[in-house]
Amino acid sequence: MSPARLLPLLLVSLVLPACAARQVRPEGAIRKVVVVSGSRVDVLPTGSFRQDIIGESNPRTVLARQTEAELLSRGFEVVATRQSQAPVPLTDEVASFIQQNKAEAAVVVILDWLDVSGASVLNRVDVVLRLGMVDPNGQVLWTDTFRSQPVVSAYQSATDWNSFLRRAVIDAVQVVP
């Protein structure tokens, strides 16, 4: 195929996803949320400039950023994020954060377990995330444990191990009601 014919196809393939409409939350559904992340894993394996310099070796940072991005794409309004220093954020901490930001609920995401032993050989890791939604009174509205074995490209596997965690969060946030 000639380059002149390929250029319009390339432009269309780049422009269409950018024009895709963001999802809209159903009437009466929770829309305005805060994100709280916690982790039983203290530090992610490092290996890239981005992880070392920007601080993405902290799993709470990766969880909070990716969860916020995914919730925004699903039509939620994310008003604030917090990285809890506790492995599992306390209900009082979460409820207080919701009230401070005048949100309807909090989406809590916790990294329970991460096994990167298969990262370099199989381009796959084992991830266990716990997700939940809490109302301003501290009542747990919904909770689920999400186990996944995200697979990423060989390049990402060799240069950015956080891509496994980001992929797991993308998949997990799809089940948030």
Side-chain angles (χ1 to χ4, degrees):
M1 188 176 272
S2 73
R5 291 185 61 157
L6 189 58
L7 184 61
L9 292 174
L10 179 63
L11 288 174
V12 168
S13 69
L14 293 174
V15 171
L16 281 179
C19 296
R22 196 167 86 172
Q23 289 183 13
V24 177
R25 301 286 297 150
E27 190 71 30
I30 293 173
R31 292 187 179 157
K32 191 174 181 182
V33 297
V34 294
V35 173
V36 180
S37 64
S39 178
R40 293 182 187 272
V41 178
D42 291 328
V43 177
L44 295 173
T46 60
S48 74
F49 174 79
R50 180 174 153 174
Q51 288 171 291
D52 294 336
I53 300 302
I54 300 179
E56 283 200 350
S57 63
N58 180 349
R60 291 167 182 87
T61 304
V62 178
L63 292 170
R65 288 180 184 167
Q66 194 63 53
T67 301
E68 179 179 2
E70 287 308 305
L71 289 172
L72 288 170
S73 74
R74 291 201 44 221
F76 285 91
E77 178 187 349
V78 179
V79 294
T81 61
R82 170 179 275 174
Q83 299 170 28
S84 176
Q85 295 309 309
V88 177
L90 299 173
T91 306
D92 293 341
E93 172 191 1
V94 175
S96 173
F97 191 56
I98 296 167
Q99 293 164 4
Q100 288 171 4
N101 291 285
K102 297 177 178 54
E104 297 173 42
V107 175
V108 180
V109 59
I110 300 163
L111 176 60
D112 268 341
W113 188 67
L114 177 72
D115 178 9
V116 295
S117 61
S120 60
V121 177
L122 303 171
N123 301 336
R124 182 181 75 202
V125 300
D126 293 315
V127 180
V128 178
L129 295 172
R130 203 165 1 138
L131 294 136
M133 189 174 277
V134 178
D135 74 3
N137 299 322
Q139 201 63 20
V140 177
L141 303 173
W142 171 84
T143 186
D144 196 8
T145 300
F146 188 82
R147 290 174 170 76
S148 69
Q149 294 180 329
V151 177
V152 299
S153 71
Y155 175 77
Q156 283 181 311
S157 176
T159 60
D160 182 14
W161 288 8
N162 289 339
S163 57
F164 292 109
L165 187 53
R166 284 192 293 275
R167 180 77 249 165
V169 171
I170 290 168
D171 295 340
V173 169
Q174 297 306 312
V175 300
V176 173

